[in-house]
Amino acid sequence: MNLTLRIWRQAGPDASGALTTYQVTGISPDMSFLEMLDTLNEELILRGEQPVAFDHDCREGICGACGMVINGQAHGPERTTTCQLHMRHFQDGDVIDVEPWRSGAFPVVKDLVVDRSAFDRIIGAGGYISAPTGSAPEAHATPVPKEAADLAFEHAECIGCGACVAACPNGSAMLFTSAKVVHLNVLPQGAPERRSRARALVGAMDAEGFGGCTNTGECATACPKGIGLNAIATLNREFLLGGR
Amino acid sequence: MNSEAPFDEVPFKYSDFTVGAPIADTKAPTGPIAERWDRRRFEAKLVNPANRRGRTVIVVGTGLAGGAAGATLAEQGYHVVQFCFQDSPRRAHSIAAQGGINAAKNYRNDGDSVRRLFYDTVKGGDFRARESNVHRLAEVSVQIIDQCVAQGVPFAREYGGLLDTRSFGGVQVSRTFYARGQTGQQLLLGAYQALSRQIAAGNVELHPRTEMLDLLVIDGRARGIVARDLVTGAVSAYLADAVVLATGGYGNVFHLSTNAKNSNATAIWRAHRRGAYFANPCFTQIHPTCIPRSGEHQAKLTLMSESLRNDGRIWVPKTVGDTRSPELIPEQERDYYLERIYPAFGNLVPRDIASRAAKNVCDEGRGVGPGGQGVYLDFADAIARMGRAAVEAKYGNLFEMYQRITAEDPYQVPMRIYPAIHYTMGGLWVDYDLQTTVPGLFAIGEANFSDHGANRLGASALMQGLGDGYFVLPATLADYLAQAPTAPVPTDHPEVTSAIVEVTDRLKRLLAVDGDRTPESFHRELGELLWDECGMARDEAGLRRALARIPQLRAEFWQRLAVPGTGEELNQTLEKANRLVDYFELAELMCLDALHRTESCGGHFRTESQTPGGEAARKDEEFGYVAAWEFTDGGAPVLHREELTFTEVHPTQRSYA
């Protein structure tokens, strides 16, 4: 396959960026999108040009590092991470736009790399169960209904990639935040901090400059792990129950 | 370009070695094995809670071992300074572990116990692990599950609300706790959340996107690190009372592996160059059920859970060069080679046996798929027997992943699999306290060599990472801190200044080569060489070929490398090139270690050492030791042997026929 790429190049956080056009040839349909970018970068290095910076690591859809807006969609046309998107989903001769996550709360570091540390600060505000090492009771002391464990797991699957924020017209982090609240609040272990957790996480989210949620639903459509909008409904309920 | 030109930066030759004094003391307490850990903890000195906040510990890495250690040390009151090269601690490669975590809970009432987990692990490691450590691992396994459940790790549950388990990796009890196929993710998020709590509380100072590039050894003790901010390029020294390396394994030296792309060996290799012995570098685990590479462009290999071998049948065509598509090959022209060679275990032979058998049939020219580097894993019989719905319920997510990557429907055509580099059992040598040969430098998790011997059992890596981080290191490190000097190191200490200069110079030199080959091209060539000559099967001639070739490749690297950009910005090409410098040296030590160990053992098959039936032949009399290598600047490496004694589990030959 031969493709035309229009890639966002930005030298640093304070530099201005622009789309730059590149041609890549001989792309195999079996390549992942990142392997296609690897190919381009190898050529750029040999030409003495700066390769395109992008975050990536595990390349099996679980670490959450990779992420870019491809033809206007977070992670591109398939509902998966960019590392698990394969070139067979594109046509020979396609023109493909590649941009970083678009959100004021995710400043661009360089090219397609953004700073998602706001997510870590949200978790630090209360996205945990306070269980210091060595203080744990016997694991079977607290039975957990299978439905609750499954529900917790389905929300704990969030990889923190930030696609939800990038897809949201408001740049809201509600899906990310709600996934963590549902994971911890449905478990009996999470119950003692249940009320304060929802308040603290929403407060941290607002402080980071993420937008508000208007139930547009783009976040759930873009989520590579299939976390649904009902998580946001649960967060809203937990938040209201929390009081002041 | 003359690739054989001598290069003045090559500090030594790995084609030879000398033998140094054996390792006399591992610090393991004596007495009954089940009481040793209790005794060690009781005898360990403690640090008064009021004095802890004045003590600083550097933790490098935020995976299961590092995340757990950082959180626990901070909870205890120490000041922790923690580093990861990823943008967030939550992305450490532990997150990708699929299968599960072992623990001797005996919730199934099927005869499991601490003793049995200990026994299985020593035997699974082919009698090259240290008994005291393995027993302690089995003991803390029970606490690990309690801790993770308290943190909210959503393990699989029974309808009655109790924890579910499954069996794994050929053991005879059901002791593996799991969270679907994402156990590593859930355990890591538990540790990350505990760490995040301590970061928010100000007890942990986190440096993300920061990579350790050297170790600071002052007055014979580890007192800090030199690290580079990957965004600004700033190279700085960080000082502490002790340093903990939790930087994972070095499987990426092979280029294609199941490791995350950025996992690397630099931290442990720089520590090795500063005096930490490197143990059993050639012990690599090959995983039999990976998706084969599809072409030259391939950046990494994807593993699929070996649970697939419970129902899938493995075969290749009987005839060399039979390229018909699988459905056109009649039953009598297929070779179900594992069932044929190992009738008792069939497709369920251990990882090392299955991997080697696949390589053998591919080497004979009977491999399938692009390049003939694959064998079929066929579910046709299982679908006929159980029905598609049952197969889907059991393996649906794996089938979906396979289809996404290969665009083939495994319900219609057999999957193709091939072995791949997965886990490294070698690593920094540590004593029973997880301390390296540099006082004040500790290594935990996959970064050390200690618990798995020559082959790791499934679901044991997560157990070791969390056990070291939550329970073992915090106890043993306290003992060190209680006795170690507290005098601060001045930031302009000559050792600090010279280490920063050394690191900076190296980066400058990488940028200055201005050649015509990319780091990736060197990495691929080094990896292919290692895979061919020091992979699943090795022999003397091949290892000598590799030892002759690697210095040439390294010389060429310093003459032809191309790295655009500068060192004062985010420069991923520079990061990669810098890691390669260490891979070259590590690769040589791996080959030397493999060359000197003329026995087959665990995941390591030395073709000169096999039974008349073609199975791996261990030589306990000659090689019943840990090979701990000492770096000597300018000279040949020195081999220090740690003799292994087995008083609890008696070595036996493994047989699966």
Side-chain angles (χ1 to χ4, degrees):
Chain A
M1 296 163 79
N2 299 325
L3 303 163
T4 302
L5 304 170
R6 295 195 299 186
I7 302 178
W8 184 262
R9 302 303 306 262
Q10 183 174 340
D14 302 321
S16 59
L19 287 171
T20 305
T21 303
Y22 299 98
Q23 307 293 334
V24 283
T25 54
I27 298 302
S28 154
D30 289 329
M31 283 182 180
S32 72
F33 199 86
L34 299 188
E35 285 168 348
M36 184 275 293
L37 288 180
D38 289 342
T39 308
L40 169 68
N41 279 345
E42 288 291 286
E43 290 172 15
L44 291 178
I45 294 169
L46 292 178
R47 299 208 306 245
E49 293 176 37
Q50 288 243 12
V52 179
F54 62 91
D55 263 327
H56 68 98
D57 203 13
C58 78
R59 300 215 177 183
E60 30 186 296
I62 194 76
C63 78
C66 65
M68 48 197 79
V69 175
I70 299 166
N71 287 338
Q73 289 179 284
H75 293 301
E78 292 284 296
R79 190 168 173 166
T80 185
T81 55
T82 309
C83 64
Q84 296 294 290
L85 171 67
H86 289 78
M87 296 314 292
R88 65 181 73 97
H89 298 291
F90 297 87
Q91 302 291 323
D92 186 33
D94 273 358
V95 178
I96 305 174
D97 287 350
V98 191
E99 300 161 86
W101 282 165
R102 296 180 289 198
S103 164
F106 288 164
V108 171
V109 175
K110 183 177 183 178
D111 297 340
L112 305 175
V113 176
V114 299
D115 177 359
R116 287 169 288 195
S117 56
F119 271 10
D120 293 315
R121 290 187 289 273
I122 292 175
I123 297 299
Y128 48 77
I129 288 169
S130 301
T133 309
S135 61
E138 213 293 323
H140 270 178
T142 314
V144 179
K146 182 169 169 28
E147 294 78 7
D150 287 349
L151 188 66
F153 173 82
E154 282 154 19
H155 290 82
E157 275 192 281
C158 169
I159 55 174
C161 63
C164 48
V165 174
C168 177
N170 306 328
S172 171
M174 277 290 269
L175 194 70
F176 169 80
T177 307
S178 63
K180 189 46 59 187
V181 166
V182 175
H183 161 209
L184 298 174
N185 281 19
V186 300
L187 293 171
Q189 290 87 344
E193 294 167 296
R194 179 176 161 185
R195 299 288 157 82
S196 58
R197 177 175 300 117
R199 287 245 148 226
L201 264 61
V202 170
M205 186 182 83
D206 290 345
E208 292 292 342
F210 290 103
C213 173
T214 52
N215 290 318
T216 314
E218 289 292 335
C219 54
T221 307
C223 176
K225 296 297 154 183
I227 292 165
L229 275 184
N230 53 354
I232 294 181
T234 306
L235 172 60
N236 284 329
R237 190 173 68 244
E238 295 286 305
F239 182 80
L240 290 172
L241 286 170
R244 282 188 187 277
Chain B
M1 189 81 43
N2 180 8
S3 64
E4 304 207 16
F7 183 64
D8 60 358
E9 293 297 324
V10 179
F12 46 78
K13 281 194 184 303
Y14 275 112
S15 51
D16 200 7
F17 65 93
T18 60
V19 176
I23 291 173
D25 186 10
T26 64
K27 296 213 197 117
T30 50
I33 194 157
E35 294 169 19
R36 288 179 196 169
W37 178 226
D38 276 345
R39 271 189 54 204
R40 180 72 191 105
R41 274 186 300 174
F42 182 72
E43 287 164 6
K45 292 197 166 42
L46 301 173
V47 180
N48 178 320
N51 293 338
R52 291 179 196 167
R53 71 180 77 92
R55 313 305 297 277
T56 299
V57 181
I58 283 175
V59 180
V60 186
T62 59
L64 287 179
T72 305
L73 292 167
E75 284 161 10
Q76 291 179 346
Y78 299 102
H79 179 57
V80 176
V81 184
Q82 191 137 7
F83 297 82
C84 63
F85 63 70
Q86 298 91 345
D87 67 324
S88 164
R90 68 178 295 143
R91 307 203 203 282
H93 187 52
S94 305
I95 203 153
Q98 295 173 0
I101 178 166
N102 286 333
K105 282 285 200 182
N106 194 31
Y107 283 163
R108 293 285 174 176
N109 194 29
D110 58 1
D112 201 8
S113 62
V114 166
R115 175 105 192 153
R116 192 172 297 276
L117 175 52
F118 158 71
Y119 173 86
D120 287 346
T121 307
V122 171
K123 182 164 176 263
D126 221 358
F127 302 96
R128 292 294 175 264
R130 193 190 286 153
E131 279 191 334
S132 297
N133 284 56
V134 179
H135 197 279
R136 175 176 66 190
L137 179 67
E139 288 173 60
V140 301
S141 72
V142 175
Q143 285 173 279
I144 294 170
I145 300 302
D146 297 343
Q147 178 63 29
C148 294
V149 167
Q151 288 173 342
V153 170
F155 284 121
R157 297 264 169 179
E158 307 269 12
Y159 281 98
L162 303 182
L163 291 156
D164 195 8
T165 56
R166 58 186 174 196
S167 55
F168 213 89
V171 298
Q172 291 163 301
V173 294
S174 182
R175 65 159 75 102
T176 306
F177 295 78
Y178 66 101
R180 290 196 201 156
Q182 291 161 229
T183 316
Q185 180 195 25
Q186 294 309 314
L187 297 174
L188 181 68
L189 292 181
Y192 156 73
Q193 286 165 197
L195 185 66
S196 297
R197 176 169 166 244
Q198 296 303 317
I199 294 167
N203 302 328
V204 173
E205 176 189 322
L206 177 75
H207 296 271
R209 291 197 197 273
T210 307
E211 183 167 24
M212 168 175 164
L213 298 184
D214 209 348
L215 177 75
L216 292 169
V217 181
I218 292 163
D219 298 333
R221 290 175 186 272
R223 294 302 305 270
I225 65 169
V226 175
R228 177 169 181 266
D229 180 323
L230 299 180
V231 177
T232 66
V235 174
S236 318
Y238 298 85
L239 299 165
D241 294 291
V243 176
V244 180
L245 299 187
T247 53
Y250 50 88
N252 261 344
V253 66
F254 287 90
H255 184 250
L256 283 185
S257 79
T258 65
N259 289 14
K261 283 289 285 173
N262 293 305
S263 299
N264 66 87
T266 287
I268 54 173
W269 190 257
R270 301 321 287 182
H272 173 59
R273 292 185 60 115
R274 295 284 180 190
Y277 292 0
F278 205 117
N280 298 337
C282 80
F283 282 178
T284 308
Q285 177 162 72
I286 318 283
H287 200 290
T289 53
C290 294
I291 301 177
R293 59 189 286 195
S294 61
E296 282 296 313
H297 61 268
Q298 190 106 14
K300 75 157 276 169
L301 296 168
T302 302
L303 177 140
M304 288 189 298
S305 171
E306 66 175 333
S307 65
L308 288 168
R309 289 194 285 140
N310 281 311
D311 288 296
R313 296 181 71 195
I314 294 171
W315 64 275
V316 290
K318 278 187 177 162
T319 318
V320 170
D322 185 345
T323 53
R324 288 175 292 173
S325 75
E327 73 277 6
L328 298 176
I329 301 177
E331 199 63 26
Q332 67 273 12
E333 294 177 38
R334 300 177 176 189
D335 180 12
Y336 295 89
Y337 57 90
L338 288 177
E339 298 168 32
R340 174 173 57 83
I341 308 171
Y342 308 100
F345 280 72
N347 295 298
L348 286 175
V349 290
R351 288 179 179 179
D352 53 335
I353 307 280
S355 299
R356 206 147 47 234
K359 181 179 189 293
N360 289 342
V361 295
C362 291
D363 289 350
E364 289 166 18
R366 296 194 289 144
V368 300
Q373 298 289 297
V375 300
Y376 289 125
L377 175 60
D378 196 339
F379 281 80
D381 282 2
I383 291 169
R385 186 179 76 244
M386 307 155 64
R388 176 174 166 147
V391 171
E392 208 168 327
K394 223 168 162 181
Y395 305 113
N397 59 335
L398 295 166
F399 277 44
E400 194 192 311
M401 180 176 78
Y402 181 85
Q403 184 159 12
R404 187 179 288 287
I405 293 174
T406 63
E408 291 174 0
D409 179 2
Y411 294 103
Q412 303 296 331
V413 295
M415 291 183 178
R416 289 172 294 109
I417 56 168
Y418 197 68
I421 296 292
H422 182 49
Y423 185 95
T424 45
M425 282 77 68
L428 292 185
W429 184 90
V430 289
D431 63 19
Y432 186 72
D433 288 350
L434 306 182
Q435 187 164 209
T436 69
T437 46
V438 176
L441 179 70
F442 293 76
I444 60 178
E446 194 181 348
N448 75 29
F449 86 102
S450 71
D451 294 2
H452 307 298
N455 184 43
R456 180 179 63 79
L457 286 182
S460 291
L462 308 186
M463 177 169 66
Q464 192 214 346
L466 288 181
D468 285 359
Y470 283 135
F471 300 107
V472 180
L473 175 90
T476 60
L477 182 63
D479 180 67
Y480 173 80
L481 290 173
Q483 303 177 60
T486 54
V489 175
T491 48
D492 60 350
H493 190 285
E495 291 289 341
V496 175
T497 316
S498 71
I500 290 178
V501 168
E502 222 174 286
V503 165
T504 314
D505 280 354
R506 177 160 111 159
L507 296 168
K508 279 186 191 150
R509 282 183 31 235
L510 289 167
L511 286 161
V513 178
D514 197 23
D516 62 352
R517 274 191 74 174
T518 63
E520 186 72 12
S521 76
F522 282 106
H523 194 180
R524 186 176 288 120
E525 189 173 345
L526 176 69
E528 280 171 8
L529 178 70
L530 262 194
W531 173 250
D532 288 344
E533 312 290 20
C534 192
M536 274 188 276
R538 308 100 188 248
D539 62 20
E540 180 172 340
L543 290 163
R544 290 198 184 281
R545 272 196 302 275
L547 282 166
R549 176 65 189 141
I550 295 168
Q552 295 172 354
L553 194 60
R554 176 167 51 190
E556 191 180 333
F557 173 86
W558 284 106
Q559 288 160 353
R560 294 186 57 189
L561 178 71
V563 180
T566 71
E568 287 79 44
E569 61 183 330
L570 180 70
N571 189 336
Q572 294 168 327
T573 319
L574 179 63
E575 290 166 27
K576 169 138 209 175
N578 195 37
R579 291 166 189 160
L580 264 171
V581 177
D582 298 319
Y583 283 149
F584 281 123
E585 292 185 1
L586 169 61
E588 287 191 73
L589 188 63
M590 289 169 75
C591 291
L592 176 64
D593 187 46
L595 181 65
H596 104 282
R597 190 173 282 271
T598 55
E599 66 163 349
S600 297
C601 188
H604 152 129
F605 188 75
R606 191 62 193 257
T607 50
E608 296 96 329
S609 181
Q610 46 186 308
T611 65
E615 300 297 337
R618 224 175 49 227
K619 296 179 185 168
D620 291 331
E621 293 298 310
E622 257 181 282
F623 293 102
Y625 61 80
V626 174
W629 296 95
E630 181 189 358
F631 178 87
T632 59
D633 211 356
V638 183
L639 170 65
H640 299 271
R641 295 189 180 94
E642 177 198 333
E643 293 297 332
L644 294 167
T645 50
F646 294 90
T647 58
E648 308 290 321
V649 187
H650 295 291
T652 49
Q653 191 64 38
R654 293 158 82 216
S655 169
Y656 299 92

